[in-house]
Amino acid sequence: MEIYIVYDKNSKEYAGYLFDLISTKENIITTFMSIKEYEQTSQITSENHIIFIGNNEITESKVKFIPEMEFSEYGINYGWLGKSAIAYVEDRKLDEKEYKSFSEYATKINKKFKEENLNIIDKIPSLFKWIMLFTSIWIGGYILYSSSKTQKKIREQQYTILINTFFMNGLEKFLGD
């Protein structure tokens, strides 16, 4: 059996991770390639399984034809139709309650999971926000930077858990369809 993993520039690392996980299985040949390489290749046939990783134009075009996603929680999604699967993280921030649920789920999936401090700005007292606004623009900039850095870490966590969940719970079903 042959599987192609297709990634965009933001998901290459996670495609590599899925590639490594799948390589632990016997009798599966796995290749991973960029979207550009995929669009230029003619060696993929209807006999091959293809997994598209990332929130990009291909996954967006395929999601509308998948009747029901196999997994869709915490901003992470995967599903398939025939031999074509998609796995992506939604382009949105998790609120505090959803992130708490996600971190509980993630701890069950990956023992190395480390919860991030979410919504730093929301934890600052209102009076301090006003003082910051009028007197210390650079502190506000630092907090925004810290918040965006936290969001980047959360996105990385979501992709890692997405790949783990797909590999553990979805891959066999996908290959069996």
Side-chain angles (χ1 to χ4, degrees):
M1 177 179 302
E2 193 165 6
I3 300 174
Y4 288 88
I5 302 171
V6 180
Y7 60 87
D8 60 25
K9 66 181 181 179
N10 297 320
S11 62
K12 182 177 182 179
E13 174 183 0
Y14 307 105
Y17 179 41
L18 182 58
F19 176 89
D20 292 342
L21 290 172
I22 293 173
S23 73
T24 64
K25 297 202 168 280
E26 292 182 26
N27 302 322
I28 298 179
I29 299 167
T30 308
T31 302
F32 78 112
M33 63 179 68
S34 69
I35 290 175
K36 185 177 182 179
E37 292 168 322
Y38 166 76
E39 290 172 338
Q40 295 173 349
T41 190
S42 60
Q43 58 193 92
I44 299 175
T45 69
S46 62
E47 293 297 312
N48 304 120
H49 287 82
I50 306 170
I51 304 167
F52 296 93
I53 307 289
N55 194 356
N56 53 60
E57 63 277 355
I58 292 177
T59 55
E60 287 174 10
S61 70
K62 290 191 174 293
V63 74
K64 61 185 167 190
F65 299 110
I66 297 173
E68 185 177 340
M69 296 301 281
E70 185 70 22
F71 185 91
S72 183
E73 292 183 54
Y74 319 114
I76 61 179
N77 303 273
Y78 69 80
W80 55 83
L81 181 60
K83 294 186 178 186
S84 184
I86 60 173
Y88 66 96
V89 172
E90 295 170 14
D91 190 21
R92 68 177 177 86
K93 293 180 181 179
L94 301 179
D95 63 31
E96 199 166 345
K97 183 179 176 184
E98 189 177 20
Y99 182 71
K100 189 73 176 156
S101 294
F102 168 70
S103 63
E104 289 169 6
Y105 172 76
T107 303
K108 294 174 191 171
I109 298 297
N110 184 339
K111 301 298 180 207
K112 291 183 178 181
F113 181 81
K114 179 181 174 273
E115 190 172 332
E116 291 296 324
N117 186 7
L118 189 62
N119 293 330
I120 291 172
I121 291 177
D122 292 340
K123 300 206 183 309
I124 298 171
S126 296
L127 179 60
F128 185 71
K129 287 181 191 175
W130 282 105
I131 292 170
M132 221 172 45
L133 179 63
F134 293 111
T135 60
S136 303
I137 300 299
W138 68 271
I139 292 173
Y142 174 75
I143 289 174
L144 288 174
Y145 168 76
S146 295
S147 177
S148 69
K149 200 171 165 184
T150 300
Q151 290 304 321
K152 184 177 187 248
K153 286 180 184 178
I154 291 169
R155 167 100 25 192
E156 291 169 358
Q157 290 175 339
Q158 286 175 296
Y159 264 108
T160 301
I161 296 304
L162 168 64
I163 298 304
N164 285 328
T165 302
F166 176 74
F167 179 74
M168 291 180 352
N169 303 327
L171 183 65
E172 294 294 323
K173 290 181 191 175
F174 167 61
L175 297 177
D177 275 358

